[in-house]
Amino acid sequence: MIHTPHVDWFSISTILALLGASFVALLGAVLVPRSARRMFGCVVAVLGFAGGLLTSIWLYVDSTNGHRVIGDAFYRDRWTALGQIIVCGIGLVTALVAAEQIAHRTDDHIAEFFSLLLACAAGMTFFIGSANLMVMFLSLEWFSIALYVMCAIDYDVEGSLEAGLKYLVIGSFGSAALLFGSALVYGSTSRIGFVEIAHVGHAHDTLLVLGLAMIITGLGFKSSAAPFHQWTPDVYQGAPTPVTAFMSAATKVAAFMLAFRVLRTAFPQDEHLWTWALAGIAIASLAVGNFAALVQRNVKRMLAYSSISHAGFLLIGLSAASALGGRAMLYYLVPYSAMAFGSFAIVGARERELNAPVTLDNLAGFGWERPFLGVAMWFFMFGFAGLPLTGGFTGKFYVFAAAYRHGWAWLVVVGVLATLVSLWYYLAVVRAMYMRTNDELRVAVAGGAPPREPLLHAAVAICMIVGVGSLFATQPVIDLARHATSALPF
Amino acid sequence: MITTILIWLPIAAAIVVWALPLSRYATGSLAVLVSLAEVGIWIEQAFRFDFSKHGLQFAQRGGWISDLHVSYHVGVYGFSLWLVGLTVISMAACTAYGFWVGRDRPRAYFGLMLFLTGATVGVFVAQDLLLFYAFFEAMLIPLYVLVGVWGGPGRLGATIKFFIYTAAGSLLMLAALIAYGLHAGTFDLVDGGPSVSRWIFLGFMLAFVIKAPLFPFHGWLPDTYREAPPEVTAVLSGVIAKAGTYGMLRIAITKLPDPTSYYRTLILALAAAALVYGSLLAFRAADLRGVVAYSSLAQSGLIALGLFSGTNLGFDGAVLQMVAHGLVSTSLFLLAGTIERRTTTDQFALLGGMAKGRPALATLLMTCGIISLAVPGSANFAGEFLILAGAFQRAWWWAAIGAGAIVLAAMYMLRAISAVLHEARGSVVTEDALDLRLGELSLIVPLVAGLLLLSAWPAGVSHHSFVGDRPVQTIKGQFK
């Protein structure tokens, strides 16, 4: 007889809420008349994410003593809950932006899009809480497959299809690395639970170290850290902009939060190895992301490289491997997600207005034409560069402080120099939006007034509030992060 | 509380200006009113300030990041009080100038000017390193846009140079302040003890010498001062540059005494180089803004000479000179702006003979020029005399170099005045170019009046900057 574990249904309520909404959206694709499908999908998605937010906040409040549930396969603790809150928040704004921005020629499949979005977020929330290698891999595949399809949702646009295919091929390679690494770790320790691996594993066990290296590789692909970043610019550029916005924010949150947990929980004995490895990856990401972004003219592509460089900054916090580093990384993720999402959403608005890919040249005059979006973009760009307009400022300070306390002053200097390089391309966006005029460059606007996009404006406003709010309300966010981090073993 | 109001009132007003669809006239009036209110609040603060009391006054402290001991801590000392005064007065004049000339896109423009006011006041009152750094960086944001949008034809290149130079310095300061704060266990400027690390000192100093600027870190200065709108150049040279020298005094010298004495000769040499080189360049400059810009470089050198002489006289003189030069260079750049509006240029080759029929312009330009060249009896003379006396106490040759440069100052300033006001009438100077209008007078005359007041009673600033007028002792005690 098969022994069925006790199921703590409440601990997976966020996932269930999102999955339930996903099924409803999918049913809508069949049962709801075509004209109402977009509306229906959006409402279902918003409700689903709101429900997910509610349950995950509840879980955060109610999970002071972190523990494993459901046959020790899943963590019910504040780390998981905070990750779920962030992912659901990103999903919510994605639903708003997608309702307007996913091309109307795909009206046939719009309900499926929302269904996939919800399923993808459900996978991510599962991924963040996974407590063993099996669940980790399954949930990784779960949200990745949804993302592959979402990237290719505009299937009659060449770039979108190409993005989906590229992501599929390279993403599968990353998943394979993760799976192989997990197999090696299991082979070395005959355990799959993170905690058990830590108990059984010996430092300097070659098989274990090899497995660890491949797990880091696999997670590196998902978090688009160099040198596992090759897919990022192409996929970010080709995918429909709301999907890019979602990916750049939510996938990073999921990948980094899981990476910190798995490394801290399962591999403390090899800490000196993986901290150095992560510092190396951080430097590679900072170098590749920043220098490649310098020469981009396409704004989506530039932001893709910028997201690689931010993976580097997050890795600085991660590589400190301390409670302070964990807090720093978590704190950084909040304004970063808001700014990344918001900036892609704004690019999406311009894209729709011009009906052409957005380049630095055809951004000219955008800031004056659409003042709210312009100011928001201004905030996001300066915030990315670590100027005191958004929480990006305190985030940078915090990760650098974590690295310094770890004894790595040189990593702080590298980070500071990388920030300096990044100023060049972030300012280029502001320069393009405000300091050149349309007449000067003869940008062809598709015609007529720009589309009214109340939902997109609302989403950008939420991102602004989170981004700027996290600068002024630093302590509350850090308190959240502190409670979440206390769920990990330090 | 009053200190917090000084910082946040203009920033709140900036948000109001950005958010509400006010007319051009309403926007400008609101901005000018708020900047005048700032002046009023500052005067109130100055009257309530107790110059005989040790330590921070009007202090306020709130939490920001508790686990790293970063807090929102603001307050004023004697010398910061004068710099805040300089900021609010200069910013009021410059905002009013922007209103007078009717800048395009008024809501964006006045919002940025107000934001800049708040951020700059913040730099001078912040008593926490991260807060100081935040305001120091925040000043850059409006300046970047103000130069880049309302500047001259070469503005794009100028903004890039300006931003990259200053950001390079301040980012290394970020690394230095993290190192300082984590070693000291607090980021608070009042509580934090002294550090002996030379790296930390260099990190901070790089930011300050770029901002001030000192030779050879002044590469951004000529382009930016020429391309920016005149009132923004006035702010840059009159106020923003003082953030650099203020940082030297408040952080580098106070918190890092050992490295200060280790690098003293080097920095004195850089300061002397800035003084001489700036004066020579000013003598060669072909336009009025160029002369004032390079003379600002020279004056920054002089102020740094006073600060790093490490003597009572030097510190007193440096603070006085910061205020006096701030006022005089604000006035001179605004006057350069009024001349450009009448003649479209400030090239000496095209100007000349403007004094005839324009008595107000001639009088004001002459007065500012004469104060700027430190004629005996002027505020600048008092400042420079104190600085040179302080430098003399360190070693006689620093004073000798300084005195030589002051002779150069007389030469370049007189050359500039005669090239604009006297000589044959320039090709772009027409008969119907008006004298200064009432609006222009109403914003330049108060500045000049302030200068004359300071000339009459320089001790008002120099004896009221440090408790009991014993700067060296106060700094050794780290202003506690």
Side-chain angles (χ1 to χ4, degrees), chain A residues 327 388 398 404 435 474-475, chain B residues 64 66-67 105 134 155 183:
Chain A
R327 285 205 293 280
Y398 220 54
Y404 188 83
M435 300 180 191
T474 308
Q475 195 56 46
Chain B
W64 191 9
S66 63
D67 57 347
R105 310 186 188 285
R155 61 188 189 276
H183 276 297

Side-chain angles (χ1 to χ4, degrees), chain A residues 330-340 384 390-392 395 463 466-467 470 477:
Chain A
L330 271 187
Y331 178 83
Y332 198 105
L333 278 170
V334 173
Y336 166 76
S337 315
M339 294 187 294
F384 271 147
T390 71
C463 292
V466 173
S470 58
V477 181

Side-chain angles (χ1 to χ4, degrees), chain B residues 89-261:
Chain B
I89 290 170
S90 287
M91 285 302 308
C94 294
T95 310
Y97 184 86
F99 189 32
W100 168 256
V101 301
R103 291 271 169 241
D104 284 343
R105 310 186 188 285
R107 282 168 59 207
Y109 174 86
F110 287 111
L112 289 165
M113 287 298 265
L114 289 167
F115 186 92
L116 181 60
T117 312
T120 315
V121 171
V123 168
F124 293 129
V125 300
Q127 301 301 335
D128 179 278
L129 269 175
L130 192 69
L131 192 67
F132 173 82
Y133 176 75
F135 286 126
F136 201 78
E137 289 278 86
M139 291 192 307
L140 274 183
I141 301 163
L143 282 172
Y144 174 74
V145 185
L146 283 167
V147 179
V149 175
W150 290 272
R155 61 188 189 276
L156 288 187
T159 50
I160 292 174
K161 230 185 217 175
F162 168 64
F163 208 97
I164 298 290
Y165 254 98
T166 42
S170 41
L171 280 166
L172 288 173
M173 174 162 83
L174 175 63
L177 80 87
I178 288 172
Y180 173 86
L182 291 183
H183 276 297
T186 174
F187 284 83
D188 199 278
L189 269 171
V190 180
D191 297 345
S195 162
V196 294
S197 165
R198 287 177 196 161
W199 286 112
I200 294 179
F201 178 80
L202 290 178
F204 279 115
M205 274 309 281
L206 189 64
F208 300 147
V209 297
I210 290 175
K211 196 69 127 190
L214 292 191
F215 176 83
F217 302 98
H218 64 285
W220 58 271
L221 179 137
D223 282 1
T224 313
Y225 281 19
R226 276 207 188 92
E227 295 302 335
E231 71 279 16
V232 175
T233 309
V235 174
L236 269 170
S237 105
V239 181
I240 308 295
K242 303 301 174 282
T245 44
Y246 169 83
M248 292 178 195
L249 172 59
R250 181 71 188 96
I251 297 172
I253 294 174
T254 312
K255 293 292 165 189
L256 300 138
D258 287 6
T260 300
S261 44

Side-chain angles (χ1 to χ4, degrees), chain B residues 279 282-283 291 295 299 369-376 384 402-418:
Chain B
S279 304
F283 191 63
V291 170
S295 92
Q299 294 288 330
I370 280 181
I371 293 175
S372 165
L373 65 79
V375 76
E384 290 180 14
I406 288 168
V407 177
L408 284 173
M411 286 163 67
Y412 65 69
M413 211 26 102
L414 290 176
R415 167 175 166 266
I417 290 171
S418 69

